[in-house]
Amino acid sequence: QVQLVESGGGLVQPGGSLRLSCAASGFTFSSYVMTWYRQAPGKERELVATITSTDGSTNYADSVKGRFTISRDNAKNAVYLQMTSLTLEDTAIYYCHARHRAWPRSQGYWGQGTQVTVSS
């Protein structure tokens, strides 16, 4: 049974930091591309950051470059998102997504999401 369980969300002031975690189980984690998405109220879900399964290459949305860092620990079957210099615009539900490296982008597994609220 595939599971992706996000944690680490919460309320933070502008300029603050949070570290999100996603614990994976039920599949061969090291073979999966891991991605963080987010969805703000009234907006479409957007890609935040991706890390590959092979060489650990990363890719970020322009809006978070230089502020967010995605990483993975294959030994722990986990992926992380370190978020710094948070702004009001980062408020959203953050979702973890897993896609086997041989699958098309339209396929994969989703977590249930964790709420991040940036507010003073």
Side-chain angles (χ1 to χ4, degrees), residues 60-115:
Y60 297 92
D62 287 343
S63 58
V64 307
K65 280 181 182 176
R67 301 189 298 121
F68 290 11
T69 302
I70 188 171
S71 61
R72 66 190 295 159
D73 186 337
N74 289 342
K76 295 183 178 180
N77 287 357
V79 61
Y80 308 99
L81 186 68
Q82 179 67 49
M83 305 186 295
T84 63
S85 302
L86 286 161
T87 71
L88 301 179
E89 288 69 34
D90 295 316
T91 295
I93 300 174
Y94 284 71
Y95 297 91
C96 179
H97 180 265
R99 174 177 63 85
H100 190 276
R101 58 190 177 212
W103 293 352
R105 294 183 184 276
S106 59
Q107 294 187 11
Y109 306 119
W110 291 95
Q112 82 289 347
T114 186
Q115 176 71 49

Side-chain angles (χ1 to χ4, degrees), residues 7-8 19 23 28 34-35 39 41-42 50 53 56 58 65 74 82 87-89 92 97 102 108 110-112 119:
S7 61
R19 186 188 192 222
T28 307
M34 300 301 298
T35 302
Q39 187 166 20
T50 297
S53 61
T58 58
K65 280 181 182 176
N74 289 342
Q82 179 67 49
T87 71
L88 301 179
E89 288 69 34
H97 180 265
W110 291 95
Q112 82 289 347
S119 175

Side-chain angles (χ1 to χ4, degrees), residues 27 52 102 110 120:
F27 59 96
T52 65
W110 291 95
S120 56

